[in-house]
Amino acid sequence: MNRLLVVLSFVLASPVLAQDIPAIPFDGSDPLKMPKDMYLGEATGVAVNAKGHIFVLSRGNTTGPAYGAAAAQLLEFDPTGKFVREIGKNLYAWSFGHTVRIDRGQNIWVADKGSDMVIKFSPAGRVLLVFGRKQESSDKETGPLEHPKPPLPAENGRFRQVTDVAFDPAGNAFISDGYINSRVAKVDRNGNWVKSWGDRGNKPGEFNTPHSIAADAKGNIYVADRGNRRVQVFDGEGTFLREFTIDVPYDAKARPAIGNLPDAAKIEASGNPKTMMPGAPWAVCITPGPNQVLYASDAFPGRVYKLSLEGKVLGVLGESGKQLKQFGWIHEIACPSENLLYVAELLNWRVQKLVLHPKK
C-alpha cells in the first residue's frame, strides 16, 4: 500500500513540487543522411566515439520470414551525419539488435537480443571478441526462447536475450542479461569470464529485465532495472551499493507514444513489470568526467531525465510524440557531453541529436 501511495503522490504532486525540477530547454534535430535506398528500421542503439562519429544499431535490412525475421544493421556516420559505412554486413550474430557501445579503446560493442550474443569490433570493423552463442539453425527445436517461471538457472558464458554492455576504467566489461536471465555478467579485458550476479526478483541485487547499463569513473555499475522501475548501483564486484527511483510529476493529459494510457496505480497493484510506468528506466548513460551526470529515459510520459550519480533529478526534457523534440520509446542514449545527447527511438525509426540549454 505504501508503494501505491508513492506512485499516486508523484502523479498528483502539486505544481510547487514540479517547479523544483526544471524543464531543460533544448533543440532537437534529425542529423543522419541516409544513402539512397537505405532506411533505418527501429533504431535500437546509438553510440558516439572520440572523433564524434555516430554509430547506429537499426533493426533494418530484415531477412527471413515475416514472422521472426532477422533484423540488425550497424551503421556509422561522421559528425555531420554523413554515412560512412555499414559494419559487419551479414554478420552471423545479427538477429534482433539491442544496443551499441564504444569502449575507451574506441572498439565497438553490440548486444544482440535475438542471437544471445555480444560482439566486440575493432575501430576498423574487425571482429575481436565473441560472447555467447547463437542457437543452431540445424536443430529441430530451435525457435524463440521461452520465459519459464521460475527462470532456468543462468549458465556461465551464455546469455538469454542479452541487452547491453558497459566498461570500467580497468577495461572490464559488464553485460546486462537480460529479458530471460536476470543478472549482470563481468568479463575481463581479455574476454575471460569473471563472474555474474543477480537473479529475478525485486529485492536489492535482483532484477526484472536489466535493460540498460552504465559505469562511472570509479567503476561503479548502474543498472536500469526496468521492470522494477529503479536504477540499482553496484561496485565492480557486484556488491549492492544503493538504488534510486525517478519520481517526477507529469501532465495528467500526457499521451503515450503508442497503446492505451498506462494506469500507474493498477500496474503497481498488479505486481506485473513496471515497464510502462512513469520513470521506469529504459536507457541510462553517464557523461564523461570530471563532473559526471546520468541521463535516463522512460516510455511514458516519454521524457529524458538528468540526474546526479546519487539519483537526484536535476532536470527533465521532452515528451511522447512524432515530431522533433518528442520521443517514441527511447531505447538507448549516447551522452558524449553534459549538454549533447543522441537518442535512438524504436517507434519513430530515427536518431535525434539533442542540444541542451540549461539555465545557469
PDB file of all heavy atoms in Angstrom, residues 80-110:
ATOM      1  N   THR A  80      28.900  15.109 -39.038  1.00  0.00           N
ATOM      2  CA  THR A  80      27.873  15.905 -39.734  1.00  0.00           C
ATOM      3  C   THR A  80      26.647  15.075 -40.082  1.00  0.00           C
ATOM      4  O   THR A  80      25.669  15.600 -40.614  1.00  0.00           O
ATOM      5  CB  THR A  80      28.438  16.517 -41.027  1.00  0.00           C
ATOM      6  OG1 THR A  80      28.666  15.472 -41.995  1.00  0.00           O
ATOM      7  CG2 THR A  80      29.740  17.259 -40.763  1.00  0.00           C
ATOM      8  N   GLY A  81      26.699  13.768 -39.826  1.00  0.00           N
ATOM      9  CA  GLY A  81      25.591  12.889 -40.168  1.00  0.00           C
ATOM     10  C   GLY A  81      25.744  12.198 -41.502  1.00  0.00           C
ATOM     11  O   GLY A  81      24.856  11.436 -41.914  1.00  0.00           O
ATOM     12  N   LYS A  82      26.880  12.406 -42.189  1.00  0.00           N
ATOM     13  CA  LYS A  82      27.105  11.753 -43.486  1.00  0.00           C
ATOM     14  C   LYS A  82      27.417  10.276 -43.283  1.00  0.00           C
ATOM     15  O   LYS A  82      28.219   9.909 -42.437  1.00  0.00           O
ATOM     16  CB  LYS A  82      28.265  12.433 -44.212  1.00  0.00           C
ATOM     17  CG  LYS A  82      28.565  11.840 -45.581  1.00  0.00           C
ATOM     18  CD  LYS A  82      29.752  12.545 -46.231  1.00  0.00           C
ATOM     19  CE  LYS A  82      30.097  11.911 -47.570  1.00  0.00           C
ATOM     20  NZ  LYS A  82      31.264  12.568 -48.214  1.00  0.00           N
ATOM     21  N   PHE A  83      26.800   9.437 -44.096  1.00  0.00           N
ATOM     22  CA  PHE A  83      27.005   7.992 -43.996  1.00  0.00           C
ATOM     23  C   PHE A  83      28.455   7.638 -44.327  1.00  0.00           C
ATOM     24  O   PHE A  83      29.015   8.105 -45.321  1.00  0.00           O
ATOM     25  CB  PHE A  83      26.063   7.257 -44.948  1.00  0.00           C
ATOM     26  CG  PHE A  83      26.224   5.768 -44.954  1.00  0.00           C
ATOM     27  CD1 PHE A  83      25.737   4.993 -43.912  1.00  0.00           C
ATOM     28  CD2 PHE A  83      26.876   5.122 -46.002  1.00  0.00           C
ATOM     29  CE1 PHE A  83      25.882   3.612 -43.906  1.00  0.00           C
ATOM     30  CE2 PHE A  83      27.021   3.744 -46.013  1.00  0.00           C
ATOM     31  CZ  PHE A  83      26.522   2.998 -44.959  1.00  0.00           C
ATOM     32  N   VAL A  84      29.052   6.785 -43.509  1.00  0.00           N
ATOM     33  CA  VAL A  84      30.435   6.342 -43.706  1.00  0.00           C
ATOM     34  C   VAL A  84      30.478   4.898 -44.186  1.00  0.00           C
ATOM     35  O   VAL A  84      31.092   4.587 -45.207  1.00  0.00           O
ATOM     36  CB  VAL A  84      31.254   6.504 -42.406  1.00  0.00           C
ATOM     37  CG1 VAL A  84      32.667   5.938 -42.588  1.00  0.00           C
ATOM     38  CG2 VAL A  84      31.315   7.964 -41.989  1.00  0.00           C
ATOM     39  N   ARG A  85      29.815   3.990 -43.482  1.00  0.00           N
ATOM     40  CA  ARG A  85      29.909   2.568 -43.836  1.00  0.00           C
ATOM     41  C   ARG A  85      28.908   1.759 -43.027  1.00  0.00           C
ATOM     42  O   ARG A  85      28.361   2.220 -42.012  1.00  0.00           O
ATOM     43  CB  ARG A  85      31.313   2.026 -43.555  1.00  0.00           C
ATOM     44  CG  ARG A  85      31.728   2.163 -42.100  1.00  0.00           C
ATOM     45  CD  ARG A  85      33.060   1.527 -41.769  1.00  0.00           C
ATOM     46  NE  ARG A  85      33.467   1.855 -40.403  1.00  0.00           N
ATOM     47  CZ  ARG A  85      34.380   1.198 -39.713  1.00  0.00           C
ATOM     48  NH1 ARG A  85      35.016   0.159 -40.269  1.00  0.00           N
ATOM     49  NH2 ARG A  85      34.707   1.552 -38.478  1.00  0.00           N
ATOM     50  N   GLU A  86      28.689   0.546 -43.490  1.00  0.00           N
ATOM     51  CA  GLU A  86      27.989  -0.468 -42.717  1.00  0.00           C
ATOM     52  C   GLU A  86      29.032  -1.437 -42.184  1.00  0.00           C
ATOM     53  O   GLU A  86      29.903  -1.899 -42.929  1.00  0.00           O
ATOM     54  CB  GLU A  86      26.961  -1.213 -43.567  1.00  0.00           C
ATOM     55  CG  GLU A  86      26.220  -2.297 -42.794  1.00  0.00           C
ATOM     56  CD  GLU A  86      25.139  -2.989 -43.608  1.00  0.00           C
ATOM     57  OE1 GLU A  86      24.896  -2.563 -44.755  1.00  0.00           O
ATOM     58  OE2 GLU A  86      24.542  -3.955 -43.094  1.00  0.00           O
ATOM     59  N   ILE A  87      28.945  -1.752 -40.889  1.00  0.00           N
ATOM     60  CA  ILE A  87      29.914  -2.627 -40.232  1.00  0.00           C
ATOM     61  C   ILE A  87      29.270  -3.996 -40.004  1.00  0.00           C
ATOM     62  O   ILE A  87      28.146  -4.091 -39.507  1.00  0.00           O
ATOM     63  CB  ILE A  87      30.369  -2.018 -38.891  1.00  0.00           C
ATOM     64  CG1 ILE A  87      31.001  -0.643 -39.123  1.00  0.00           C
ATOM     65  CG2 ILE A  87      31.344  -2.943 -38.171  1.00  0.00           C
ATOM     66  CD1 ILE A  87      31.251   0.135 -37.849  1.00  0.00           C
ATOM     67  N   GLY A  88      30.005  -5.040 -40.364  1.00  0.00           N
ATOM     68  CA  GLY A  88      29.523  -6.389 -40.095  1.00  0.00           C
ATOM     69  C   GLY A  88      28.350  -6.805 -40.959  1.00  0.00           C
ATOM     70  O   GLY A  88      27.481  -7.548 -40.494  1.00  0.00           O
ATOM     71  N   LYS A  89      28.316  -6.357 -42.190  1.00  0.00           N
ATOM     72  CA  LYS A  89      27.208  -6.717 -43.077  1.00  0.00           C
ATOM     73  C   LYS A  89      27.096  -8.247 -43.165  1.00  0.00           C
ATOM     74  O   LYS A  89      28.080  -8.946 -43.375  1.00  0.00           O
ATOM     75  CB  LYS A  89      27.428  -6.121 -44.466  1.00  0.00           C
ATOM     76  CG  LYS A  89      26.266  -6.335 -45.430  1.00  0.00           C
ATOM     77  CD  LYS A  89      26.527  -5.635 -46.758  1.00  0.00           C
ATOM     78  CE  LYS A  89      25.416  -5.882 -47.762  1.00  0.00           C
ATOM     79  NZ  LYS A  89      24.127  -5.315 -47.307  1.00  0.00           N
ATOM     80  N   ASN A  90      25.889  -8.756 -42.967  1.00  0.00           N
ATOM     81  CA  ASN A  90      25.593 -10.196 -42.995  1.00  0.00           C
ATOM     82  C   ASN A  90      26.309 -10.980 -41.889  1.00  0.00           C
ATOM     83  O   ASN A  90      26.549 -12.187 -42.027  1.00  0.00           O
ATOM     84  CB  ASN A  90      25.928 -10.803 -44.358  1.00  0.00           C
ATOM     85  CG  ASN A  90      25.086 -10.214 -45.471  1.00  0.00           C
ATOM     86  OD1 ASN A  90      23.902  -9.925 -45.274  1.00  0.00           O
ATOM     87  ND2 ASN A  90      25.681 -10.020 -46.644  1.00  0.00           N
ATOM     88  N   LEU A  91      26.657 -10.315 -40.796  1.00  0.00           N
ATOM     89  CA  LEU A  91      27.322 -10.980 -39.675  1.00  0.00           C
ATOM     90  C   LEU A  91      26.451 -12.114 -39.119  1.00  0.00           C
ATOM     91  O   LEU A  91      25.224 -11.979 -39.014  1.00  0.00           O
ATOM     92  CB  LEU A  91      27.599  -9.953 -38.573  1.00  0.00           C
ATOM     93  CG  LEU A  91      28.477 -10.414 -37.415  1.00  0.00           C
ATOM     94  CD1 LEU A  91      29.936 -10.455 -37.844  1.00  0.00           C
ATOM     95  CD2 LEU A  91      28.303  -9.474 -36.216  1.00  0.00           C
ATOM     96  N   TYR A  92      27.079 -13.213 -38.761  1.00  0.00           N
ATOM     97  CA  TYR A  92      26.354 -14.383 -38.255  1.00  0.00           C
ATOM     98  C   TYR A  92      25.566 -14.060 -36.986  1.00  0.00           C
ATOM     99  O   TYR A  92      24.507 -14.649 -36.726  1.00  0.00           O
ATOM    100  CB  TYR A  92      27.340 -15.525 -37.989  1.00  0.00           C
ATOM    101  CG  TYR A  92      26.721 -16.775 -37.442  1.00  0.00           C
ATOM    102  CD1 TYR A  92      25.798 -17.509 -38.184  1.00  0.00           C
ATOM    103  CD2 TYR A  92      27.067 -17.243 -36.169  1.00  0.00           C
ATOM    104  CE1 TYR A  92      25.237 -18.676 -37.679  1.00  0.00           C
ATOM    105  CE2 TYR A  92      26.508 -18.406 -35.661  1.00  0.00           C
ATOM    106  CZ  TYR A  92      25.595 -19.122 -36.415  1.00  0.00           C
ATOM    107  OH  TYR A  92      25.040 -20.273 -35.912  1.00  0.00           O
ATOM    108  N   ALA A  93      26.041 -13.122 -36.175  1.00  0.00           N
ATOM    109  CA  ALA A  93      25.368 -12.806 -34.918  1.00  0.00           C
ATOM    110  C   ALA A  93      24.150 -11.913 -35.092  1.00  0.00           C
ATOM    111  O   ALA A  93      23.356 -11.768 -34.157  1.00  0.00           O
ATOM    112  CB  ALA A  93      26.341 -12.130 -33.949  1.00  0.00           C
ATOM    113  N   TRP A  94      23.985 -11.299 -36.254  1.00  0.00           N
ATOM    114  CA  TRP A  94      22.868 -10.367 -36.414  1.00  0.00           C
ATOM    115  C   TRP A  94      21.537 -11.111 -36.411  1.00  0.00           C
ATOM    116  O   TRP A  94      21.284 -12.012 -37.210  1.00  0.00           O
ATOM    117  CB  TRP A  94      22.986  -9.585 -37.708  1.00  0.00           C
ATOM    118  CG  TRP A  94      24.051  -8.547 -37.839  1.00  0.00           C
ATOM    119  CD1 TRP A  94      24.519  -8.024 -39.008  1.00  0.00           C
ATOM    120  CD2 TRP A  94      24.767  -7.850 -36.809  1.00  0.00           C
ATOM    121  NE1 TRP A  94      25.476  -7.084 -38.777  1.00  0.00           N
ATOM    122  CE2 TRP A  94      25.655  -6.946 -37.427  1.00  0.00           C
ATOM    123  CE3 TRP A  94      24.758  -7.916 -35.417  1.00  0.00           C
ATOM    124  CZ2 TRP A  94      26.509  -6.115 -36.716  1.00  0.00           C
ATOM    125  CZ3 TRP A  94      25.613  -7.092 -34.700  1.00  0.00           C
ATOM    126  CH2 TRP A  94      26.469  -6.195 -35.351  1.00  0.00           C
ATOM    127  N   SER A  95      20.673 -10.712 -35.495  1.00  0.00           N
ATOM    128  CA  SER A  95      19.351 -11.327 -35.415  1.00  0.00           C
ATOM    129  C   SER A  95      18.305 -10.306 -35.004  1.00  0.00           C
ATOM    130  O   SER A  95      17.383 -10.031 -35.756  1.00  0.00           O
ATOM    131  CB  SER A  95      19.371 -12.495 -34.413  1.00  0.00           C
ATOM    132  OG  SER A  95      18.123 -13.105 -34.334  1.00  0.00           O
ATOM    133  N   PHE A  96      18.446  -9.725 -33.815  1.00  0.00           N
ATOM    134  CA  PHE A  96      17.492  -8.725 -33.335  1.00  0.00           C
ATOM    135  C   PHE A  96      18.285  -7.759 -32.452  1.00  0.00           C
ATOM    136  O   PHE A  96      18.418  -7.944 -31.246  1.00  0.00           O
ATOM    137  CB  PHE A  96      16.370  -9.405 -32.542  1.00  0.00           C
ATOM    138  CG  PHE A  96      15.125  -8.580 -32.401  1.00  0.00           C
ATOM    139  CD1 PHE A  96      14.408  -8.148 -33.505  1.00  0.00           C
ATOM    140  CD2 PHE A  96      14.644  -8.248 -31.144  1.00  0.00           C
ATOM    141  CE1 PHE A  96      13.237  -7.404 -33.364  1.00  0.00           C
ATOM    142  CE2 PHE A  96      13.490  -7.502 -30.979  1.00  0.00           C
ATOM    143  CZ  PHE A  96      12.777  -7.084 -32.096  1.00  0.00           C
ATOM    144  N   GLY A  97      18.875  -6.748 -33.095  1.00  0.00           N
ATOM    145  CA  GLY A  97      19.807  -5.854 -32.429  1.00  0.00           C
ATOM    146  C   GLY A  97      19.203  -5.154 -31.226  1.00  0.00           C
ATOM    147  O   GLY A  97      18.010  -4.819 -31.215  1.00  0.00           O
ATOM    148  N   HIS A  98      20.039  -4.908 -30.201  1.00  0.00           N
ATOM    149  CA  HIS A  98      19.524  -4.272 -28.981  1.00  0.00           C
ATOM    150  C   HIS A  98      20.259  -2.985 -28.614  1.00  0.00           C
ATOM    151  O   HIS A  98      19.610  -1.961 -28.438  1.00  0.00           O
ATOM    152  CB  HIS A  98      19.546  -5.253 -27.809  1.00  0.00           C
ATOM    153  CG  HIS A  98      18.541  -4.923 -26.756  1.00  0.00           C
ATOM    154  ND1 HIS A  98      18.845  -4.193 -25.626  1.00  0.00           N
ATOM    155  CD2 HIS A  98      17.222  -5.203 -26.671  1.00  0.00           C
ATOM    156  CE1 HIS A  98      17.758  -4.039 -24.884  1.00  0.00           C
ATOM    157  NE2 HIS A  98      16.755  -4.645 -25.496  1.00  0.00           N
ATOM    158  N   THR A  99      21.588  -3.011 -28.481  1.00  0.00           N
ATOM    159  CA  THR A  99      22.323  -1.781 -28.133  1.00  0.00           C
ATOM    160  C   THR A  99      23.715  -1.807 -28.749  1.00  0.00           C
ATOM    161  O   THR A  99      24.241  -2.871 -29.098  1.00  0.00           O
ATOM    162  CB  THR A  99      22.480  -1.613 -26.603  1.00  0.00           C
ATOM    163  OG1 THR A  99      23.012  -2.812 -26.043  1.00  0.00           O
ATOM    164  CG2 THR A  99      21.162  -1.277 -25.942  1.00  0.00           C
ATOM    165  N   VAL A 100      24.336  -0.623 -28.839  1.00  0.00           N
ATOM    166  CA  VAL A 100      25.709  -0.481 -29.308  1.00  0.00           C
ATOM    167  C   VAL A 100      26.444   0.447 -28.337  1.00  0.00           C
ATOM    168  O   VAL A 100      25.867   1.440 -27.860  1.00  0.00           O
ATOM    169  CB  VAL A 100      25.771   0.060 -30.754  1.00  0.00           C
ATOM    170  CG1 VAL A 100      25.046   1.391 -30.914  1.00  0.00           C
ATOM    171  CG2 VAL A 100      27.212   0.177 -31.237  1.00  0.00           C
ATOM    172  N   ARG A 101      27.696   0.135 -28.042  1.00  0.00           N
ATOM    173  CA  ARG A 101      28.514   0.951 -27.140  1.00  0.00           C
ATOM    174  C   ARG A 101      29.932   1.074 -27.698  1.00  0.00           C
ATOM    175  O   ARG A 101      30.397   0.211 -28.447  1.00  0.00           O
ATOM    176  CB  ARG A 101      28.595   0.308 -25.743  1.00  0.00           C
ATOM    177  CG  ARG A 101      27.272   0.189 -25.013  1.00  0.00           C
ATOM    178  CD  ARG A 101      26.818   1.503 -24.424  1.00  0.00           C
ATOM    179  NE  ARG A 101      25.652   1.314 -23.550  1.00  0.00           N
ATOM    180  CZ  ARG A 101      25.058   2.295 -22.871  1.00  0.00           C
ATOM    181  NH1 ARG A 101      25.518   3.522 -22.942  1.00  0.00           N
ATOM    182  NH2 ARG A 101      24.008   2.038 -22.111  1.00  0.00           N
ATOM    183  N   ILE A 102      30.636   2.136 -27.286  1.00  0.00           N
ATOM    184  CA  ILE A 102      32.041   2.354 -27.644  1.00  0.00           C
ATOM    185  C   ILE A 102      32.861   2.342 -26.360  1.00  0.00           C
ATOM    186  O   ILE A 102      32.539   3.063 -25.404  1.00  0.00           O
ATOM    187  CB  ILE A 102      32.241   3.704 -28.362  1.00  0.00           C
ATOM    188  CG1 ILE A 102      31.268   3.857 -29.533  1.00  0.00           C
ATOM    189  CG2 ILE A 102      33.692   3.842 -28.821  1.00  0.00           C
ATOM    190  CD1 ILE A 102      31.488   2.903 -30.668  1.00  0.00           C
ATOM    191  N   ASP A 103      33.937   1.532 -26.312  1.00  0.00           N
ATOM    192  CA  ASP A 103      34.758   1.499 -25.104  1.00  0.00           C
ATOM    193  C   ASP A 103      35.882   2.536 -25.180  1.00  0.00           C
ATOM    194  O   ASP A 103      36.002   3.291 -26.156  1.00  0.00           O
ATOM    195  CB  ASP A 103      35.278   0.090 -24.830  1.00  0.00           C
ATOM    196  CG  ASP A 103      36.287  -0.411 -25.872  1.00  0.00           C
ATOM    197  OD1 ASP A 103      36.845   0.408 -26.632  1.00  0.00           O
ATOM    198  OD2 ASP A 103      36.523  -1.637 -25.918  1.00  0.00           O
ATOM    199  N   ARG A 104      36.726   2.567 -24.161  1.00  0.00           N
ATOM    200  CA  ARG A 104      37.779   3.581 -24.093  1.00  0.00           C
ATOM    201  C   ARG A 104      38.827   3.416 -25.192  1.00  0.00           C
ATOM    202  O   ARG A 104      39.523   4.355 -25.535  1.00  0.00           O
ATOM    203  CB  ARG A 104      38.447   3.539 -22.710  1.00  0.00           C
ATOM    204  CG  ARG A 104      37.560   4.085 -21.605  1.00  0.00           C
ATOM    205  CD  ARG A 104      38.126   3.800 -20.216  1.00  0.00           C
ATOM    206  NE  ARG A 104      37.341   4.438 -19.179  1.00  0.00           N
ATOM    207  CZ  ARG A 104      36.176   3.978 -18.723  1.00  0.00           C
ATOM    208  NH1 ARG A 104      35.667   2.864 -19.237  1.00  0.00           N
ATOM    209  NH2 ARG A 104      35.522   4.620 -17.772  1.00  0.00           N
ATOM    210  N   GLY A 105      38.949   2.219 -25.746  1.00  0.00           N
ATOM    211  CA  GLY A 105      39.862   1.987 -26.856  1.00  0.00           C
ATOM    212  C   GLY A 105      39.233   2.233 -28.207  1.00  0.00           C
ATOM    213  O   GLY A 105      39.837   1.922 -29.237  1.00  0.00           O
ATOM    214  N   GLN A 106      38.008   2.781 -28.207  1.00  0.00           N
ATOM    215  CA  GLN A 106      37.238   3.092 -29.420  1.00  0.00           C
ATOM    216  C   GLN A 106      36.762   1.836 -30.147  1.00  0.00           C
ATOM    217  O   GLN A 106      36.390   1.881 -31.315  1.00  0.00           O
ATOM    218  CB  GLN A 106      38.015   4.012 -30.370  1.00  0.00           C
ATOM    219  CG  GLN A 106      38.496   5.307 -29.726  1.00  0.00           C
ATOM    220  CD  GLN A 106      37.357   6.066 -29.043  1.00  0.00           C
ATOM    221  OE1 GLN A 106      36.398   6.447 -29.696  1.00  0.00           O
ATOM    222  NE2 GLN A 106      37.458   6.269 -27.727  1.00  0.00           N
ATOM    223  N   ASN A 107      36.798   0.704 -29.455  1.00  0.00           N
ATOM    224  CA  ASN A 107      36.207  -0.511 -30.002  1.00  0.00           C
ATOM    225  C   ASN A 107      34.689  -0.423 -29.919  1.00  0.00           C
ATOM    226  O   ASN A 107      34.131   0.250 -29.045  1.00  0.00           O
ATOM    227  CB  ASN A 107      36.708  -1.735 -29.229  1.00  0.00           C
ATOM    228  CG  ASN A 107      38.212  -1.859 -29.269  1.00  0.00           C
ATOM    229  OD1 ASN A 107      38.802  -2.044 -30.325  1.00  0.00           O
ATOM    230  ND2 ASN A 107      38.851  -1.730 -28.106  1.00  0.00           N
ATOM    231  N   ILE A 108      34.020  -1.128 -30.803  1.00  0.00           N
ATOM    232  CA  ILE A 108      32.563  -1.057 -30.938  1.00  0.00           C
ATOM    233  C   ILE A 108      31.972  -2.376 -30.435  1.00  0.00           C
ATOM    234  O   ILE A 108      32.356  -3.450 -30.901  1.00  0.00           O
ATOM    235  CB  ILE A 108      32.169  -0.831 -32.406  1.00  0.00           C
ATOM    236  CG1 ILE A 108      32.947   0.348 -32.999  1.00  0.00           C
ATOM    237  CG2 ILE A 108      30.665  -0.620 -32.549  1.00  0.00           C
ATOM    238  CD1 ILE A 108      33.195   0.228 -34.487  1.00  0.00           C
ATOM    239  N   TRP A 109      31.025  -2.301 -29.510  1.00  0.00           N
ATOM    240  CA  TRP A 109      30.394  -3.478 -28.943  1.00  0.00           C
ATOM    241  C   TRP A 109      28.904  -3.461 -29.258  1.00  0.00           C
ATOM    242  O   TRP A 109      28.260  -2.414 -29.129  1.00  0.00           O
ATOM    243  CB  TRP A 109      30.564  -3.505 -27.424  1.00  0.00           C
ATOM    244  CG  TRP A 109      31.971  -3.629 -26.920  1.00  0.00           C
ATOM    245  CD1 TRP A 109      32.994  -2.727 -27.091  1.00  0.00           C
ATOM    246  CD2 TRP A 109      32.506  -4.684 -26.121  1.00  0.00           C
ATOM    247  NE1 TRP A 109      34.120  -3.159 -26.454  1.00  0.00           N
ATOM    248  CE2 TRP A 109      33.858  -4.361 -25.853  1.00  0.00           C
ATOM    249  CE3 TRP A 109      31.979  -5.871 -25.606  1.00  0.00           C
ATOM    250  CZ2 TRP A 109      34.680  -5.186 -25.088  1.00  0.00           C
ATOM    251  CZ3 TRP A 109      32.792  -6.689 -24.842  1.00  0.00           C
ATOM    252  CH2 TRP A 109      34.133  -6.354 -24.587  1.00  0.00           C
ATOM    253  N   VAL A 110      28.383  -4.609 -29.640  1.00  0.00           N
ATOM    254  CA  VAL A 110      26.955  -4.722 -29.943  1.00  0.00           C
ATOM    255  C   VAL A 110      26.361  -5.876 -29.144  1.00  0.00           C
ATOM    256  O   VAL A 110      26.933  -6.973 -29.104  1.00  0.00           O
ATOM    257  CB  VAL A 110      26.720  -4.954 -31.443  1.00  0.00           C
ATOM    258  CG1 VAL A 110      25.238  -5.248 -31.718  1.00  0.00           C
ATOM    259  CG2 VAL A 110      27.150  -3.737 -32.253  1.00  0.00           C
TER     260      VAL A 110
END
